[in-house]
Amino acid sequence: MALAPIQAEDLDAVSAFLHEHLNPRVSASSWRALLRPPWGRVGPNSGFQLTEDGRIVGVYVAVYSERNRDGASQAVCNLAAFCVLPDHRSHSLRLMRACLSQKGYLFTDLSPSGNVPAINARLGFAQLDTRGRLVLNTPAVRRRARVSRDPALIAATVRADDARIYQDHREAPAARHLIVTLGDRYGYLLYRRDRRKHLPLFASPLHVGGDRALMAEAWPQISSHLLARGLVATIAERRVLDFDARGVGWDLPRPRPKMFRGGALDPADVDYLYSELTLVQW
C-alpha cells in the first residue's frame, strides 16, 4: 500500500475516484474544481492518496490558503474530502496523519460526517460553535436599500478584504454572492445553497462583509431575494450572522459539526472561506 501526495498529474484520477466512490451526484469535473481552486495553488499538494497496484483506494483532499488577521499571516489547510474504499478502511488514519503531519497549519474540517468527528476529536480537533437558527425566507416590500447579485456591481462596490474575497471566490462553483447598497454604504453576503433532508432549498451564509448594521436593516429584503432564488430558509449560524436574522424561525436542534486544530487564530476568527463549502455543490 503506497501513500503519496496528490499532485497535478493525479487530478483526473482522483476526481474520477471521488465521483464514483464518494458522491456520484457531484461530477468528476466538479470534484476537479476542488483540487484546483480558483484562487490558485497555495500549498505543497492537493492532499494525499493511497494506492494499491497503481489503483487509488483512498484519498484525503486538502485545500490550502494563506489568511491574514490583524497583520499576522496564518497558513490554513482545509480537509475537504475524505474517502477510503471499505476493504482498506484500516489505512484511513495513515491518510489523516499524512495531512496533519504538515507543520505550521491551522487545520479545518468543515463538513465531517459519519465517524469522522469522533476520530477528529481523538486527533486533537475542537468543535466550532455552530449554533444558530433556521429562518424562513419571506417576501418583503421593497425598501430604500438595493439588493443585487450583479457581478459588475459587486466588483465595483466591495472594498479592502471584501474585494479580495470576492475576486478569489467569484469563480468558486458553490459560492453565491449578493450586495446590499444604500447611498455610500454597502453590505456583502457570500453564501451557498445547502441540502437538508435531500432538499437543496436552504441558504447557508459563509461570509458577511461591509456594513453589518446595513445587512441587519436590510435582512427582510435579503430574505425576499433568497426566496426568489428558490431558497425557502436561511441556516443562520450566529458566528456568521452576528445580528438577528429577522423572520419566523427556530433554533437549530442539531447543528452540523465544523472542526479545527492548531494555528494561531482565535476560534472566532476561523471562517468558512477558501474551503470545500465554496467549491463543491452537493
Side-chain angles (χ1 to χ4, degrees):
M1 188 78 61
L3 174 68
I6 299 170
Q7 302 293 4
E9 61 271 18
D10 305 312
L11 300 191
D12 287 342
V14 171
S15 300
F17 177 85
L18 291 169
H19 169 65
E20 181 177 357
H21 298 289
L22 181 56
N23 190 338
R25 191 169 58 235
V26 179
S27 68
S29 62
S30 295
W31 282 119
R32 202 179 196 283
L34 177 68
L35 295 157
R36 274 294 179 265
W39 50 85
R41 178 167 172 172
V42 178
N45 51 61
S46 295
F48 289 84
Q49 60 182 323
L50 284 169
T51 59
E52 184 177 61
D53 300 326
R55 179 177 68 101
I56 297 175
V57 298
V59 300
Y60 210 160
V61 176
V63 176
Y64 297 89
S65 61
E66 194 76 27
R67 313 304 305 284
N68 292 286
R69 289 289 189 278
D70 300 323
S73 180
Q74 173 65 66
V76 179
C77 176
N78 166 237
L79 303 176
F82 187 27
C83 180
V84 182
L85 297 183
D87 291 346
H88 299 82
R89 294 274 165 82
S90 60
H91 296 275
S92 297
L93 276 176
R94 291 182 63 194
L95 279 173
M96 302 181 84
R97 293 189 186 282
C99 289
L100 295 174
S101 66
Q102 300 177 109
K103 303 299 183 184
Y105 288 100
L106 165 71
F107 294 95
T108 63
D109 192 347
L110 303 178
S111 54
S113 59
N115 63 348
V116 174
I119 296 172
N120 280 351
R122 292 199 293 272
L123 293 172
F125 279 77
Q127 292 213 26
L128 295 168
D129 183 356
T130 58
R131 290 177 297 174
R133 301 177 72 226
L134 185 68
V135 182
L136 295 180
N137 294 328
T138 56
V141 176
R142 183 175 177 82
R143 300 187 184 181
R144 293 185 302 154
R146 176 186 179 189
V147 179
S148 175
R149 56 177 179 151
D150 177 21
L153 177 62
I154 298 172
T157 304
V158 291
R159 299 185 290 272
D161 285 347
D162 289 329
R164 175 180 51 79
I165 288 168
Y166 178 63
Q167 289 302 322
D168 285 347
H169 290 84
R170 66 184 302 170
E171 301 299 330
R176 300 174 182 231
H177 312 266
L178 65 81
I179 194 83
V180 181
T181 54
L182 180 62
D184 60 356
R185 301 167 69 195
Y186 85 87
Y188 169 47
L189 179 67
L190 189 159
Y191 66 98
R192 64 175 277 119
R193 179 184 288 266
D194 252 331
R195 290 177 180 267
R196 290 294 187 272
K197 305 295 185 182
H198 307 292
L199 298 174
L201 303 176
F202 302 90
S204 287
L206 303 179
H207 169 75
V208 175
D211 188 330
R212 302 180 82 89
L214 175 60
M215 296 293 282
E217 294 166 19
W219 187 258
Q221 289 169 261
I222 296 170
S223 173
S224 183
H225 177 96
L226 295 173
L227 181 64
R229 312 266 93 69
L231 298 164
V232 300
T234 295
I235 301 169
E237 287 187 24
R238 293 189 182 96
R239 68 188 317 273
V240 180
L241 292 184
D242 58 357
F243 53 84
D244 181 26
R246 304 171 190 174
V248 177
W250 49 90
D251 290 343
L252 292 169
R254 291 180 297 278
R256 292 185 175 178
K258 296 181 174 74
M259 308 182 78
F260 74 101
R261 189 183 102 159
L265 294 182
D266 185 277
D269 291 326
V270 178
D271 61 35
Y272 304 153
L273 300 172
Y274 302 90
S275 75
E276 83 276 16
L277 297 182
T278 68
L279 293 169
V280 183
Q281 189 67 65
W282 53 74

